[in-house]
């Protein structure tokens, strides 16, 4: 590996970003990746703007120190609450040559291609919903679309605790689906605006009218990253290509390894990162 090159960093508050890494690796298998899950401090979804920003910046700086030139925030909450400040205020000071990309834009820039009714729903954490990032970003690309949001504060805890397939999950899925769908009968497309939610996708689909399109972010983020690397050959040249994957967690590694395989689709062996 050229010493000026480094792996692509993928960050999430916990396990959810692994559903994105899985798709990125499928789309771009040759690159090296470091995944960092801040499980020790998850969930982020109910935390304040300042806390999410502070935690996210700390993890991004760690990934930079591990050699990453490019970091993907595979977390909607971090993208909603920390990305802009990191891009505009911190990167020019830390290293203007490094890049941090978020997960909200790859979805918002294509959502209009799916909706015929021009009414789109978004499921997200309380943090993502109160930030209004989805309505603001969708408006930039598709001003004719009306966005309806639903916070789902119980979904991340269900997933983080391995309860995503339980009857308890059915109760909270039906509850939030109902609360979104009563906002308008015209909703024909729904964004799963949290990287933990793909584990609940089958249950969510079953709870929705069959004609509603459900958009999962992993494949969209992977395509968007591939496009970014094509448009930015100078950044692609800084990303090493040895097919390596490393996994770090800020909590217990044995627990992480047990859970992570479900999200990533392959067995995972992690190392502990002390922040
Ligand atoms: N996976 C994160 C997201 O996409 C949220 C999980 C959390 O609340 O920490 O928003």
């Amino acid at each position: 590996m050229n010493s000026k090159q480094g792996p692509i960093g993928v960050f999430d508050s916990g396990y959810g970003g692994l559903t994105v890494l899985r798709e990125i690796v499928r789309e771009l298998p040759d690159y090296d990746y470091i995944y960092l899950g801040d499980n020790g401090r998850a969930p982020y979804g109910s935390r304040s703007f300042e806390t999410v920003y502070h935690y996210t910046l700390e993890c991004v700086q760690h990934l930079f120190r591990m050699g990453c030139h490019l970091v993907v925030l595979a977390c909607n909450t971090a993208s909603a609450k920390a990305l802009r400040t990191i891009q505009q205020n911190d990167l020019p000071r830390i290293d203007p040559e490094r890049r941090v990309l978020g997960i909200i834009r790859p979805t918002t820039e294509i959502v209009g291609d799916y909706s015929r009714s021009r009414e789109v729903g978004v499921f997200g954490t309380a943090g993502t919903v109160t930030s209004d990032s989805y309505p603001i970003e969708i408006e930039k690309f598709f001003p004719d679309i009306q966005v309806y949001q639903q916070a789902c504060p119980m979904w991340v805890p269900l997933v983080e605790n391995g309860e995503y397939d339980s009857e308890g999950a059915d109760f909270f899925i039906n509850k939030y689906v109902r609360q979104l769908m009563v906002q308008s009968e015209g909703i024909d497309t729904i964004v799963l605006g949290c990287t933990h939610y793909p584990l609940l996708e089958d249950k969510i689909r079953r709870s929705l009218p069959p004609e509603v399109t459900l958009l999962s972010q992993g494949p969209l983020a992977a395509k968007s990253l591939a496009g970014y690397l094509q448009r930015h050959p100078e950044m692609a040249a800084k990303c090493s290509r040895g097919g390596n994957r490393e996994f770090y967690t800020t909590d217990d590694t044995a627990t992480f390894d047990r859970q992570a395989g479900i999200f990533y689709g392959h067995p995972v062996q992690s190392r502990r990162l002390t922040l």
Side-chain angles (χ1 to χ4, degrees), residues 12-13 16-17 42-46 74-77 125 128 156 193-196:
D12 182 44
S13 61
Y44 280 15
S46 47
C75 175
N76 288 267
T77 311
T125 65
T128 298
V156 170
C194 171
T195 54
H196 281 66

Side-chain angles (χ1 to χ4, degrees), residues 206-274:
R206 282 202 290 276
S207 182
L208 281 167
E211 63 278 10
V212 172
T213 302
L214 195 57
L215 290 180
S216 212
Q217 295 178 300
L220 304 175
K223 288 242 170 324
S224 171
L225 180 62
Y228 175 86
L229 290 169
Q230 242 167 23
R231 291 193 308 279
H232 296 277
E234 76 294 346
M235 180 50 76
K238 289 182 193 167
C239 299
S240 53
R241 297 179 190 222
N244 298 311
R245 291 89 176 89
E246 288 178 26
F247 299 86
Y248 289 86
T249 174
T250 56
D251 207 350
D252 180 57
T253 53
T255 312
F256 184 88
D257 296 353
R258 239 187 351 264
Q259 288 275 90
I262 302 163
F263 290 78
Y264 186 53
H266 300 282
V268 163
Q269 256 200 324
S270 62
R271 288 180 231 179
R272 176 81 180 247
L273 183 77
T274 308

Side-chain angles (χ1 to χ4, degrees), residues 164-177:
Y164 49 87
D165 216 13
S166 67
E167 282 173 30
D170 284 317
F171 175 84
F172 285 107
I173 284 168
N174 292 333
K175 175 177 173 165
Y176 298 137
V177 164

Side-chain angles (χ1 to χ4, degrees), residues 52-123:
V52 172
Y53 162 66
H54 173 72
Y55 287 176
T56 305
L57 179 61
E58 200 174 11
C59 290
V60 165
Q61 285 186 289
H62 258 280
L63 287 165
F64 285 166
R65 280 198 288 277
M66 289 168 161
C68 302
H69 295 271
L70 177 64
V71 172
V72 177
L73 300 184
C75 175
N76 288 267
T77 311
S79 301
K81 293 189 161 186
L83 179 65
R84 184 182 295 248
T85 315
I86 291 176
Q87 285 176 332
Q88 294 181 353
N89 297 355
D90 298 305
L91 282 185
R93 173 177 58 81
I94 299 168
D95 184 346
E97 299 301 317
R98 299 195 195 235
R99 290 289 175 271
V100 180
L101 306 177
I103 187 120
I104 292 178
R105 188 171 168 149
T107 314
T108 55
E109 67 188 6
I110 54 88
V111 73
D113 302 344
Y114 291 87
S115 173
R116 261 175 290 146
S117 67
R118 315 315 274 166
E119 294 192 33
V120 167
V122 177
F123 289 125

